[in-house]
Amino acid sequence: MTEEKDTQPQLPPTQAIARLSEKSPEGWFEYPVRAYPHHTDYAGIVWHGTYLIWMEEARVESLRAIGVNFADLVALGCDLPVVELALRYHKPMKLGTEAIVRTRMLEMDGVRLNWEYQIQSRDGQELYLTGVVTLVTVDIEKGRIIRRLPESVKDALVKLSR
């Protein structure tokens, strides 16, 4: 079992988030959010899992903005599960706070789609979270990685990749 762990790919260290941010050009998709009571714990601080939900919503909306509707991908038998996730929580976000979830696809690396995120205050003065998420395309019926994307999807994603 130890040998198997050693051969598994590892998540990048948290410093990798900063390096990816530095080398990426602009081109963010922005998705506004507001922290409602159901997003927070009893102290009025946004629960850590809420950020993941907002990140996925922003990613799905950014795809929709370039003509890739997630429901259409599912109808084609394609899913985009998360296979790697690295987050850094910089500052707690509180109940009632409005923020912007910024996302962009960094690159298509073989079957891997690497996305970058920032969650910040609307005025850009406060940074709440940075992250990198890696997705792969999976054939829903077979449960296997799709090595070759449908051309329409690939063409749309190329618009996003850097």
Side-chain angles (χ1 to χ4, degrees):
M1 182 139 185
T2 305
E3 289 176 24
E4 190 174 272
K5 276 188 175 181
D6 293 338
T7 61
Q8 291 293 317
Q10 299 297 310
L11 288 176
T14 52
Q15 299 90 332
I17 295 171
R19 283 197 305 276
L20 288 171
S21 296
E22 290 168 4
K23 75 177 189 177
S24 301
E26 289 300 315
W28 294 97
F29 176 83
E30 296 188 345
Y31 179 73
V33 295
R34 179 187 308 245
Y36 290 105
H38 65 277
H39 296 134
T40 65
D41 60 18
Y42 291 110
I45 303 297
V46 172
W47 176 66
H48 67 276
T50 298
Y51 296 102
L52 296 172
I53 294 165
W54 289 339
M55 290 164 58
E56 183 169 11
E57 289 173 356
R59 183 176 62 246
V60 168
E61 287 301 313
S62 70
L63 289 171
R64 191 176 63 76
I66 62 159
V68 178
N69 187 326
F70 203 85
D72 294 341
L73 282 177
V74 172
L76 289 170
C78 179
D79 193 13
L80 295 171
V82 171
V83 295
E84 290 184 28
L85 171 69
L87 301 177
R88 160 106 2 126
Y89 296 94
H90 297 271
K91 182 175 183 175
M93 199 170 141
K94 297 179 181 174
L95 176 63
T97 303
E98 292 183 31
I100 300 293
V101 180
R102 300 174 78 212
T103 187
R104 61 183 168 189
M105 191 168 76
L106 291 170
E107 62 186 345
M108 290 175 30
D109 180 18
V111 297
R112 301 165 79 79
L113 307 173
N114 299 308
W115 289 77
E116 181 177 26
Y117 295 87
Q118 294 178 353
I119 300 180
Q120 62 187 35
S121 60
R122 291 181 60 86
D123 63 7
Q125 298 300 306
E126 302 288 340
L127 182 62
Y128 303 112
L129 176 137
T130 53
V132 177
V133 174
T134 301
L135 311 167
V136 295
T137 51
V138 171
D139 181 311
I140 294 171
E141 189 175 306
K142 295 178 183 173
R144 293 194 172 150
I145 291 175
I146 298 173
R147 299 278 174 202
R148 189 167 183 183
L149 291 172
E151 284 303 313
S152 59
V153 175
K154 184 177 179 181
D155 292 344
L157 293 176
V158 166
K159 293 178 190 175
L160 291 177
S161 66
R162 308 280 164 243

